[in-house]
Amino acid sequence: MKKKISLPMQILIALILGIVVGFACYAMQVPDFTTNYLKPFGDIFVNLLKFIVVPVVLLSMIDGILSMGDMKKVGSVGVKTLVYFMTTSAIACVIGLTVANLFNSAHLFPVLSASDASYAGGEFQGFMSTLVGIFPTNMWDAFHNANMLQIIVIALFFGGSIMAAGEKARLVQDIVSAFYAVIEKLMGFIISLSPIGVFTYMAWVVATEGPEIVGNLAIVILCAYAGYFIHAALVYSLSAQFLAGMSPLAFFKGAFAAMMFAFTSTSSAATLPVSKECADNMGADSDISSFVLPLGATINMNGTAIYQCVVTVFLASCAGIQLTLSQMVIVVATATLSAIGTAGTPGAGLIMLTMVLSTLGIPVDYIGLVLAVDRLFDMGRSCLNVTGDIACAVFVSRWEGRKAARR
Ligand code: ASP
């Protein structure tokens, strides 16, 4: 009998093949081949994921809330989730700042001039207007613009109201779960195509982001990746061991497919269906993962927090600014908030970096210095972002399960 290769294995093979083909195209100086003929297939795949992400987030959150069955449980899951997200984001910032300062004080960062760098980013509008903006004035606009924070608010309100309406809203409950069942099937199909996405994107990145683009930023990229690794090894291993009661190795193995997928697609939102499959396979309750993962893909960005801290220290040194301890505290606070506000889409973390830089008085033009290599930073930060979401879903499920068992 033919044995089917598991999805993580398929993704691993696609990743390795992508690297090999990418190198070959780079060595033969035909990187355009990957841009013109391989990447479009990756784009088709990512388009498919993006096209289902709005219904996935909306229906999965409402369905999750309804399956939990009472608002008390929703509240308890919500509080644990938010506490986990906030704590790990703050830890991520501390790790990011620590590694960046170590690199900086060892004079490893290059000092680049921003005279010919430019970045046309919008100025940060302030916390209050950001907060107001989370509440939609028009539901369809939120769907149309795929504004995930607004969609989460809509899902919370509708989920709660459908539950409060009880028996009278039975039909709506059935419709939501019927639609969600359809979306799950569709997700399953699209996920089965993910090795194509991984292969084509990987080949394209390797062929086009050659050593000359990376140039003297290699050390800054290395610093960010050191932060990503330390965070994963420390925070997720400990979470797996002590909060979820599973070995770190089993956790990373279980999350592997989503991690690789996020690494190549650079989008937590697009990785959502894969993350759900990984979390559920590791024993997360479906109602809890349906609630935690969309929320995580929208607001939980540990990798982004690390990246923003590292790049802030680097750009500050380029601008000749030595950050004081109190400024570092400001970096932790603003990077935590800005990571929350970062959308789970490619390059979003770079846009939100403007918030951290403007708070510190570093000209946003300096972002131009890291723009060209943002994808390389983004691959690692997206990978870490989804790992954090999955860790949280598994941990909250175990925790809630234990509570239920005690009762
Ligand atoms: N691309 C990241 C993500 O989707 C967000 C970011 O750009 O930092 O998780």
Side-chain angles (χ1 to χ4, degrees):
M1 203 180 71
K2 235 175 54 196
K3 200 164 165 270
K4 203 172 167 296
I5 306 175
S6 69
L7 183 71
M9 202 51 185
Q10 288 181 28
I11 290 185
L12 184 65
I13 295 171
L15 190 80
I16 295 169
L17 273 182
I19 295 175
V20 171
V21 171
F23 260 123
C25 291
Y26 176 76
M28 292 188 297
Q29 295 176 351
V30 284
D32 289 352
F33 172 77
T34 58
T35 312
N36 297 336
Y37 299 104
L38 293 183
K39 183 173 174 277
F41 291 98
D43 289 342
I44 292 178
F45 175 67
V46 169
N47 285 355
L48 286 176
L49 285 168
K50 280 192 191 149
F51 120 90
I52 56 162
V53 82
V54 170
V56 167
V57 171
L58 183 75
L59 294 169
S60 134
M61 282 205 80
I62 299 183
D63 193 63
I65 292 172
L66 295 177
S67 324
M68 284 189 231
D70 84 273
M71 274 326 251
K72 263 229 243 36
K73 181 163 181 197
V74 177
S76 145
V77 169
V79 168
K80 287 189 188 73
T81 306
L82 290 181
V83 169
Y84 185 84
F85 286 169
M86 294 298 287
T87 315
T88 52
S89 296
I91 296 174
C93 288
V94 174
I95 292 177
L97 275 182
T98 310
V99 283
N101 278 308
L102 283 177
F103 274 63
N104 197 26
S105 45
H107 302 291
L108 293 173
F109 284 156
V111 178
L112 304 180
S113 149
S115 55
D116 40 31
S118 74
Y119 177 72
E123 284 297 319
F124 171 55
Q125 299 299 321
F127 291 113
M128 281 333 234
S129 64
T130 309
L131 182 69
V132 172
I134 294 174
F135 295 87
T137 50
N138 183 326
M139 201 158 79
W140 311 118
D141 275 355
F143 297 154
H144 179 244
N145 301 325
N147 185 325
M148 290 305 162
L149 279 175
Q150 293 191 345
I151 292 171
I152 284 178
V153 169
I154 294 170
L156 287 174
F157 279 131
F158 267 94
S161 307
I162 297 170
M163 206 186 307
E167 262 317 296
K168 275 198 197 144
R170 164 109 345 243
L171 181 63
V172 184
Q173 292 193 16
D174 291 344
I175 290 175
V176 169
S177 49
F179 263 121
Y180 189 51
V182 175
I183 285 291
E184 274 193 307
K185 282 279 165 233
L186 186 54
M187 279 192 311
F189 169 68
I190 297 176
I191 292 172
S192 71
L193 304 176
S194 53
I196 300 175
V198 169
F199 165 72
T200 51
Y201 267 32
M202 204 59 213
W204 168 65
V205 171
V206 172
T208 53
E209 309 259 327
E212 54 277 11
I213 290 191
V214 176
N216 39 13
L217 285 173
I219 194 78
V220 189
I221 297 173
L222 189 78
C223 177
Y225 275 80
Y228 300 154
F229 271 112
I230 294 172
H231 188 80
L234 216 72
V235 177
Y236 303 144
S237 297
L238 292 180
S239 305
Q241 186 81 52
F242 295 107
L243 299 178
M246 68 193 295
S247 87
L249 207 65
F251 170 75
F252 287 113
K253 212 170 145 212
F256 180 76
M259 289 170 75
M260 283 309 106
F261 190 73
F263 186 74
T264 42
S265 71
T266 64
S267 170
S268 311
T271 311
L272 199 48
V274 194
S275 313
K276 170 111 173 69
E277 186 145 313
C278 290
D280 290 356
N281 285 344
M282 272 192 273
D285 291 342
S286 180
D287 54 350
I288 293 180
S289 63
S290 297
F291 179 87
V292 172
L293 292 173
L295 196 63
T298 312
I299 66 168
N300 182 43
M301 308 276 165
N302 293 176
T304 305
I306 292 176
Y307 152 83
Q308 290 183 340
C309 290
V310 168
V311 172
T312 300
V313 172
F314 164 61
L315 295 182
S317 86
C318 291
I321 302 173
Q322 264 306 326
L323 297 178
T324 61
L325 198 65
S326 56
Q327 279 176 315
M328 303 263 187
V329 176
I330 296 176
V331 175
V332 172
T334 45
T336 304
L337 290 174
S338 115
I340 292 174
T342 300
T345 51
L350 178 107
I351 299 168
M352 290 303 285
L353 186 60
T354 46
M355 171 172 152
V356 186
L357 296 187
S358 349
T359 317
L360 293 170
I362 302 170
V364 290
D365 260 8
Y366 274 84
I367 294 182
L369 290 176
V370 287
L371 196 61
V373 289
D374 187 58
R375 191 169 183 99
L376 298 179
F377 283 113
D378 202 358
M379 292 165 87
R381 64 185 194 244
S382 305
C383 173
L384 203 68
N385 291 347
V386 304
T387 316
D389 303 340
I390 298 173
C392 184
V394 176
F395 142 63
V396 176
S397 294
R398 290 286 161 98
W399 205 252
E400 285 295 314
R402 252 180 250 156
K403 221 167 73 176
R406 243 183 281 132
R407 252 189 258 128

